């Protein structure tokens, strides 16, 4: 590829600055207070895609936030790459824990990013990673090296479950038709250890409510004589794991794909340092399902986690009270072959049965999605692998991730195409956490690597 490093050298300050402008828009999809900002972000993406050289770009309305669709078709005979990303971001809470304001991006250095990293909500997930594709497109178009057709579909509801994207995809199969889907919304092992994500976990997210007496009670007058919903809820939740940290919901593991010894041995070859892992999190031991390594626990094994729990009095000082209600939000990460709707039902049936007399239980499913595994013997994977070889000087390691992008399995079903996950983030980039950041080195490396993917993919498709 001609001149990509030269083009980067010349334009990198502008590339960084454009990303910073985008990060200033607080496009938090979960909080209605930011709805105008989310819409503003979609407009900014549309403009950026046109400036990068897309022939057409449109804002496609949905029942929720719009989807930005843009394309450049140079020859219907050539392959088509569909780029997916999201312009919405997670809420910044807890704001107090940010060292600089989440929507006032700042460049700071860290041990891992001595070249500097941009600190802002969405820097890595996913504005920074999505914008790498916009800038790679700009390079290919401006230097007359775009080797195939490109479509962009950038949504604004990924962080809240992509509720309207499924319908959009089903209604627009022709418009979205492609030969390969390319996404940068995952991570890589380390800056000197490139990796391609070959698996994502599925998800089932539910909220539970336990109700005891019809009002909050004096914990002295009634304590001991009526069921305390918080006591009951925590007991029910505790029973969802056994002493080996296996999940106790009947049928939960029935469809779990068990990896062969060889596959597990292959996985174990990926560089991983347990001491560093513990140190980075300030923990003195890891914790999880018996019989599996840390990397297996967070990728090929399903999980059940409480994400939030509340009820009763949590204000200053003490109040003696037995709450009428207790609540929790619970997520289950699922692995290939587990069906998220089936698991949600299994959870509901089991959790309702767990409730003792004296309380009632309500389970409300939120959102969910299927997991995904991609084979590595296809042109998409090969094209990506070769691209990393060129820009990193190393063959990337295929790696299953623990995170979820539910829409990927839907793409496969509706559009019949494979997805290649070229992630450039690091675990330490703190996505969804305070002080999220994205390394400038990673950002530029992404922009440098992506054009090679296109070139290789077109070559391999001939
Ligand atoms: N980009 C993440 C998913 C991710 C991150 C996958 C890193 C692999 C590595 C995405 O934006 C995300 O946060 N997904 C949610 C699920 C969604 C349904 C809210 C998640 O994984 O919690
Ligand atoms: Mn994301
Ligand atoms: Mn996310």
């Amino acid at each position: 590829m001609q001149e990509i490093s030269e083009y980067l050298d010349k334009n990198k300050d502008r590339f960084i600055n454009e990303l910073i402008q985008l990060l200033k828009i607080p496009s938090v999809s979960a909080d209605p207070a930011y709805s105008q900002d989310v819409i503003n972000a979609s407009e900014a993406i549309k403009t950026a895609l046109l400036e990068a050289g897309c022939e057409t770009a449109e804002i496609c309305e949905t029942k929720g936030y719009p989807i930005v669709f843009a394309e450049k078709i140079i020859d219907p005979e050539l392959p088509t790459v569909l780029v997916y990303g999201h312009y919405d971001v997670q809420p910044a809470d807890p704001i107090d824990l940010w060292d600089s304001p989440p929507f006032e991006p700042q460049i700071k250095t860290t041990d891992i990013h001595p070249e500097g990293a941009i600190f802002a909500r969405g820097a890595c997930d996913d504005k920074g990673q999505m914008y790498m594709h916009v800038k790679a497109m700009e390079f290919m178009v401006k230097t007359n090296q775009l080797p195939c057709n490109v479509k962009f579909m950038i949504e604004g509801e990924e962080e809240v479950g992509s509720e309207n994207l499924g319908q959009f995809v089903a209604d627009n199969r022709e418009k979205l038709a492609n030969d390969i889907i390319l996404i940068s919304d995952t991570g890589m092992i380390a800056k000197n250890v490139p990796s391609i994500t070959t698996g994502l976990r599925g998800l089932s997210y539910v909220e539970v409510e336990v109700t005891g007496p019809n009002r909050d009670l004096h914990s002295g007058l009634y304590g001991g004589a009526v069921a305390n919903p918080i006591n009951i809820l925590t007991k029910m939740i505790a029973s969802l794991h056994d002493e080996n940290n296996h999940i106790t919901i009947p049928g939960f593991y029935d469809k779990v794909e068990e990896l062969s010894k060889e596959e597990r041995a292959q996985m174990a070859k990926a560089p991983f340092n347990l001491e560093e892992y513990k140190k980075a999190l300030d923990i003195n031991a890891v914790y999880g399902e018996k019989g599996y390594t840390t990397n297996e626990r967070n990728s090929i094994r399903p999980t059940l986690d409480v994400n939030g729990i509340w009820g009763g009095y949590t204000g200053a000082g003490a109040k003696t009270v037995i709450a009428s209600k207790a609540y929790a939000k619970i997520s289950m990460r699922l692995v290939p072959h587990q069906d998220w709707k089936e698991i949600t039902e299994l959870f509901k049936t089991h959790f309702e049965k767990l409730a003792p007399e004296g309380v009632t239980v309500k389970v409300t499913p939120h959102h969910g999605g299927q997991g995904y595994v991609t084979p590595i013997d296809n042109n998409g994977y090969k094209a990506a692998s070769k691209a990393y070889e060129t820009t990193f000087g190393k063959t990337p390691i295929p790696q299953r991730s623990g995170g979820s992008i539910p829409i990927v399995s839907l793409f496969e079903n509706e559009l019949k195409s494979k997805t290649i996950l070229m992630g450039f983030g690091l675990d330490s980039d703190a996505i969804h956490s305070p002080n999220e950041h994205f390394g400038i080195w990673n950002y530029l490396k992404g922009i440098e690597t992506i054009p090679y993917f296109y070139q290789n993919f077109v070559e391999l498709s001939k």
Side-chain angles (χ1 to χ4, degrees):
M1 179 84 40
Q2 240 184 331
E3 316 147 8
I4 176 74
S5 37
E6 210 179 291
Y7 194 85
L8 269 175
D9 268 347
K10 258 194 227 140
N11 295 284
K12 65 173 184 244
D13 290 344
R14 177 172 57 86
F15 287 179
I16 292 164
N17 201 38
E18 284 177 18
L19 175 57
I20 286 176
Q21 298 314 314
L22 185 61
L23 290 167
K24 285 184 184 168
I25 308 173
S27 47
V28 180
S29 50
D31 186 345
Y34 294 98
S35 61
Q36 189 55 49
D37 299 294
V38 183
I39 291 164
N40 292 349
S42 71
E43 294 286 349
I45 301 297
K46 178 186 161 184
T47 309
L49 284 165
L50 286 172
E51 280 171 4
C54 287
E55 266 158 16
T56 60
E58 51 182 317
I59 303 268
C60 307
E61 298 299 337
T62 71
K63 279 193 199 129
Y65 289 121
I67 293 159
V68 186
F69 180 82
E71 64 182 3
K72 186 170 176 75
I73 307 295
I74 57 170
D75 178 354
E77 296 298 311
L78 285 169
T80 301
V81 176
L82 173 69
V83 177
Y84 164 85
H86 60 96
Y87 63 81
D88 65 322
V89 303
Q90 282 278 322
D93 313 65
I95 296 253
D96 299 351
L97 298 183
W98 284 76
D99 296 331
S100 54
F103 300 108
E104 292 172 30
Q106 286 189 18
I107 297 176
K108 291 180 262 191
T109 58
T110 70
D111 289 349
I112 292 175
H113 298 295
E115 307 85 1
I118 307 176
F119 282 73
R121 171 57 85 228
C124 177
D125 183 13
D126 178 41
K127 283 177 177 163
Q129 296 213 66
M130 175 265 294
Y131 210 68
M132 299 181 315
H133 290 270
V134 182
K135 294 299 100 178
M137 174 80 176
E138 175 193 307
F139 162 73
M140 292 186 288
V141 175
K142 299 278 147 81
T143 60
N144 291 316
Q145 295 183 80
L146 183 67
C148 62
N149 307 310
V150 188
K151 297 177 178 176
F152 281 87
M153 176 172 61
I154 313 295
E155 73 152 320
E157 296 186 306
E158 197 278 342
E159 299 292 8
V160 287
S162 302
E163 246 176 78
N164 296 293
L165 187 65
Q167 193 60 49
F168 180 79
V169 172
D171 292 345
N172 291 283
R173 285 205 198 101
E174 270 304 302
K175 191 186 181 95
L176 301 172
N178 65 79
D179 297 282
I180 195 81
I181 298 170
L182 187 58
I183 304 181
S184 294
D185 193 21
T186 54
M188 59 179 185
I189 296 178
K191 281 164 84 175
N192 57 356
V193 189
S195 55
I196 298 175
T197 303
T198 51
L200 293 163
R201 286 197 284 195
L203 179 72
S204 164
Y205 200 107
V206 298
E207 184 164 329
V208 298
E209 179 190 297
V210 175
T211 306
N214 60 3
R215 60 185 165 87
D216 288 6
L217 303 174
H218 188 289
S219 67
L221 295 182
Y222 290 93
V226 296
N228 176 331
I230 302 177
N231 291 8
I232 302 284
L233 174 62
T234 51
K235 205 165 157 180
M236 288 167 74
I237 287 171
S239 79
L240 295 174
H241 290 94
D242 69 13
E243 66 284 2
N244 293 324
N245 279 314
H246 289 301
I247 294 155
T248 55
I249 300 168
F252 187 84
Y253 290 98
D254 283 0
K255 294 191 176 167
V256 166
E257 172 201 43
E258 296 290 343
L259 267 67
S260 67
K261 255 194 183 153
E262 293 72 37
E263 282 173 297
R264 290 178 69 184
Q266 200 58 37
M267 266 189 83
K269 281 193 199 151
F272 176 74
N273 184 318
L274 187 60
E275 287 315 308
E276 277 171 22
Y277 185 86
K278 290 192 288 187
K279 203 169 150 229
L281 301 176
D282 267 330
I283 50 175
N284 56 22
V286 289
Y287 186 89
E289 188 182 4
K290 196 173 169 193
Y292 294 92
T293 65
T294 295
N295 269 341
E296 290 172 339
R297 286 169 178 169
N298 67 24
S299 65
I300 60 162
R301 298 299 296 168
T303 64
L304 184 152
D305 276 296
V306 178
N307 293 242
I309 182 162
W310 69 104
Y313 183 71
T314 56
K319 177 188 178 190
T320 48
V321 66
I322 291 174
S324 165
K325 285 175 186 288
Y327 307 83
K329 291 186 194 277
I330 296 175
S331 69
M332 288 163 277
R333 295 284 168 173
L334 310 175
V335 295
H337 308 323
Q338 280 183 299
D339 180 83
W340 79 272
K341 289 192 172 145
E342 230 170 84
I343 292 291
T344 306
E345 272 313 301
L346 289 179
F347 175 90
K348 192 169 188 291
T349 308
H350 179 67
F351 206 70
E352 283 168 356
K353 263 198 211 138
L354 280 180
E357 279 181 23
V359 299
T360 54
V361 169
K362 199 166 104 190
V363 176
T364 312
H366 276 281
H367 54 78
Q370 304 297 92
Y372 183 72
V373 250
T374 175
I376 62 173
D377 58 0
N378 59 69
N379 285 346
Y381 187 89
K382 285 181 195 157
S385 184
K386 221 177 133 211
Y388 284 90
E389 279 167 20
T390 306
T391 58
F392 285 77
K394 280 181 188 169
T395 304
I397 299 173
Q399 187 205 26
R400 291 223 209 172
S401 169
S404 308
I405 310 177
I407 206 67
V408 172
S409 82
L410 196 140
F411 285 154
E412 176 144 285
N413 295 336
E414 294 285 344
L415 305 175
K416 312 285 174 229
S417 36
K418 297 274 174 232
T419 292
I420 303 302
L421 298 154
M422 292 174 70
F424 291 88
L426 300 175
D427 283 353
S428 55
D429 289 345
I431 63 170
H432 293 208
S433 304
N435 301 314
E436 174 178 354
H437 54 279
F438 190 35
I440 285 171
W441 184 90
N442 300 64
Y443 178 52
L444 299 176
K445 206 70 179 166
I447 302 172
E448 183 188 347
T449 308
I450 290 163
Y452 289 101
F453 170 84
Y454 282 76
Q455 199 183 48
N456 298 338
F457 186 70
V458 173
E459 258 332 289
L460 287 163
S461 304
K462 276 180 188 158

